[in-house]
Amino acid sequence: MIRPEFNFPEDILFKGSDKTYLLALLLPLALLPLVAFASGDGAYIRYLLGKAVPALDESERIKAAVTEFNNRFMDIYASQGDKRGIGAVPATVGMRHSLVTDSGSLWVGGQVLVYDIASLDFRSVQQDGPLSATVLVKEEWNYQYKDGKTYKDVGQVHGTESLMRYRLLQQGGRWLVQKSEPVRESGKEVKTGA
């Protein structure tokens, strides 16, 4: 008995009804990423693709958000809690409110706290999911209190160093700081500070 020759992809793809069936199956799968981006689910697709394609990894964008947050943090404190420009801070509404409240309370006391960042050393950047990330940063800051009216020095320049954990959310395509907290290192383990 002679078996007819069967060529897998050609015979399935190019037969009338089989071709239609396969096209109907593959076309929605091919269009799925486009539909996801158009519907606002691009972060999910990017997150999944970022696991396989390092060029799509969000780490640099996440680091840039933390760096920008700290640069704006300095401006907010130096401005005595002035709300102008607060919308540019890459942070959630709750975090921005907290920054303005804290810096404004110093101004009510007649002082300004001037922060200057000396260094940001990123220890780890972990994208926890498509819309969330956790960042550990070793920070060094110089700070000094000044008189709120004359801007003259009230105290000495001090320096501080700390390990900070930032929790970020992605909203509207931007990474925003939702929370920052000091942490302490104990051996290889990192613990939340009080």
Side-chain angles (χ1 to χ4, degrees):
M1 173 182 232
I2 299 175
R3 284 182 89 180
E5 188 175 317
F6 178 75
N7 293 324
F8 170 66
E10 294 84 16
D11 287 347
I12 290 178
L13 289 175
F14 300 113
K15 287 193 176 190
S17 63
D18 290 340
K19 180 181 177 184
T20 305
Y21 172 74
L22 193 57
L23 185 60
L25 180 65
L26 293 178
L27 187 60
L29 290 175
L31 294 176
L32 188 61
L34 293 174
V35 171
F37 276 109
S39 68
D41 290 336
Y44 293 93
I45 300 295
R46 189 174 181 100
Y47 174 70
L48 293 172
L49 289 175
K51 299 281 186 194
V53 181
L56 295 176
D57 181 57
E58 291 281 308
S59 294
E60 291 306 313
R61 288 185 62 218
I62 294 167
K63 285 188 209 178
V66 171
T67 301
E68 179 69 13
F69 173 82
N70 280 297
N71 288 334
R72 299 289 182 166
F73 176 86
M74 291 185 294
D75 294 342
I76 289 169
Y77 271 86
S79 72
Q80 302 171 339
D82 189 342
K83 293 178 186 174
R84 286 179 296 170
I86 191 69
V89 178
T92 60
V93 172
M95 178 57 95
R96 288 194 307 250
H97 177 76
S98 176
L99 290 174
V100 170
T101 302
D102 290 349
S103 60
S105 66
L106 283 170
W107 179 75
V108 170
Q111 295 183 342
V112 176
L113 180 58
V114 178
Y115 276 112
D116 288 313
I117 195 159
S119 71
L120 284 178
D121 178 20
F122 287 89
R123 296 294 175 92
S124 70
V125 176
Q126 177 183 340
Q127 193 170 351
D128 305 319
L131 302 175
S132 62
T134 303
V135 180
L136 284 176
V137 183
K138 187 74 152 192
E139 300 179 358
E140 291 183 22
W141 291 83
N142 295 318
Y143 66 94
Q144 182 177 30
Y145 290 97
K146 294 190 178 239
D147 184 273
K149 292 180 182 176
T150 64
Y151 221 65
K152 290 184 180 179
D153 300 346
V154 173
Q156 299 286 328
V157 174
H158 298 280
T160 183
E161 180 180 295
S162 60
L163 183 65
M164 296 292 290
R165 177 183 293 127
Y166 292 89
R167 305 221 188 252
L168 290 88
L169 295 176
Q170 190 177 139
Q171 293 178 352
R174 292 178 62 202
W175 284 102
L176 305 175
V177 173
Q178 179 187 29
K179 183 178 181 180
S180 66
E181 60 188 351
V183 294
R184 63 177 187 260
E185 295 176 278
S186 174
K188 293 183 180 180
E189 196 175 316
V190 176
K191 297 181 180 181
T192 301

